[in-house]
Amino acid sequence: MSSGDGATQKGAGAPASSSKAGRNLPAAIGVGVGLGALVICVLLFAPTAWVAVVAVAIAVATWEVTKRLRQGGISVPFVPLLIGGQAIVWLTWPYGVRGAFTAFGVTVVVCMIWRLLSQGLDRRPENYTRDIAITVLVAAWLPLFASFGTLLVFAEHGGGRVLCLMIGVVCSDVGGYAAGVLFGKHPMVPAISPKKSWEGFVGSLVVGTIGGILTVTFILDAAPWIGAVLGIVLVLSSTLGDLVESQIKRDLGIKDMGTLLPGHGGIMDRLDSALPSAVATWLVLGALL
């Protein structure tokens, strides 16, 4: 999920109903509540179905990202990325980390061959090194990072661990949004994300840390200091994830990766912070619980 005072990218103006932070706030709230309700229902009543939710989200995000990259003149192989991404996510169910990384390796090899031969045997592929490097980035950024989110659900109190991840990211987002709108005056990284402020980051840090303490304490029945560590780490990973996607969109000259979610953009615009945060949550809770 994106940080609330993120950048408005070049080449697309904000709609008239947008808030100071660049969102259609009523639509954003409605979509956010709907997605949150879906996540909670799945984790409470059918935790293993979380794998299917992640798989669908990653399939859509892969389509959004590859479409935007191709519009920018970057040829990434969609079919092997889509199929390989599904394998990366789904193989965490029987095989855990080993399944995810094995599928990732196979996906990269297939993509290399696919791109090499995409123009036939009689033509030399153009920009091959660039395109393959970006393809590997996409395979890691989307399905591999997402697989850590599915790995969480198979651990002890797995549904609770995923809730800690999602609530922590939302707390970071809401804290950053509120503080950025109310107090934001000092740009954090104006060259990448002009609307992201230091005041917003402090808001993310405060609300995210409180959210981490409360979720870990009451959902996982663990020590509050573990929640504080998780909250701080999630704020950092969420902020960096948002900045990475902001820079990629700035390179491509676009505002959003897609238009599927009113007030939010595309699925990828909701996952930018959650994907690196899934890795961070798996590491922190795996090490401290």
Side-chain angles (χ1 to χ4, degrees), residues 15-197:
S17 59
S18 291
S19 67
K20 178 181 175 183
R23 291 187 188 182
N24 182 328
L25 190 55
I29 292 174
V31 170
V33 170
L35 292 175
L38 172 63
V39 169
I40 292 172
C41 288
V42 168
L43 294 175
L44 287 179
F45 300 110
T48 53
W50 175 246
V51 180
V53 173
V54 173
V56 171
I58 289 303
V60 176
T62 300
W63 174 75
E64 290 176 344
V65 172
T66 53
K67 179 182 177 181
R68 289 299 199 181
L69 289 171
R70 288 182 173 183
Q71 289 173 347
I74 300 169
S75 180
V76 293
F78 171 68
V79 173
L81 270 177
L82 178 65
I83 297 174
Q86 292 300 295
I88 292 169
V89 172
W90 282 102
L91 287 179
T92 59
W93 195 340
Y95 301 114
V97 176
R98 182 176 60 182
F101 276 91
T102 299
F104 173 74
V106 172
T107 299
V108 170
V109 172
V110 172
C111 286
M112 292 172 68
I113 297 171
W114 188 288
R115 181 66 183 88
L116 184 67
L117 304 177
S118 61
Q119 294 177 297
L121 299 177
D122 299 327
R123 294 184 61 186
R124 179 171 60 87
E126 297 180 358
N127 298 314
Y128 177 79
T129 303
R130 180 202 66 182
D131 292 349
I132 285 300
I134 294 174
T135 298
V136 175
L137 168 64
V138 173
W141 186 28
L142 275 64
L144 185 60
F145 282 12
S147 70
F148 286 88
T150 61
L151 287 168
L152 285 170
V153 85
F154 301 119
E156 185 180 5
H157 304 301
R161 293 186 185 220
V162 176
L163 280 175
C164 288
L165 160 64
M166 302 308 294
I167 293 173
V169 172
V170 169
C171 286
S172 176
D173 186 23
V174 171
Y177 177 86
V181 168
L182 295 175
F183 310 111
K185 293 181 180 180
H186 300 88
M188 188 176 179
V189 278
I192 298 175
S193 186
K195 290 190 176 182
K196 187 174 294 298
S197 65

Side-chain angles (χ1 to χ4, degrees), residues 11 42 105 136 150 155 214 231 244 246 248 288:
V42 168
V136 175
T150 61
L214 293 177
V244 167
S246 292
I248 290 173
L288 300 181

Side-chain angles (χ1 to χ4, degrees), residues 187-268:
M188 188 176 179
V189 278
I192 298 175
S193 186
K195 290 190 176 182
K196 187 174 294 298
S197 65
W198 282 110
E199 290 82 359
F201 177 73
V202 172
S204 291
L205 198 60
V206 171
V207 178
T209 302
I210 293 173
I213 292 172
L214 293 177
T215 53
V216 168
T217 301
F218 292 104
I219 295 178
L220 299 183
D221 194 26
W225 70 268
I226 297 177
V229 172
L230 178 64
I232 293 170
V233 170
L234 286 182
V235 169
L236 295 175
S237 62
S238 296
T239 302
L240 291 173
D242 182 39
L243 289 175
V244 167
E245 199 209 20
S246 292
Q247 182 57 46
I248 290 173
K249 291 190 290 188
R250 188 167 293 279
D251 284 348
L252 296 173
I254 59 175
K255 180 181 184 294
D256 295 314
M257 284 292 184
T259 58
L260 184 63
L261 303 176
H264 292 268
I267 289 288
M268 189 59 212

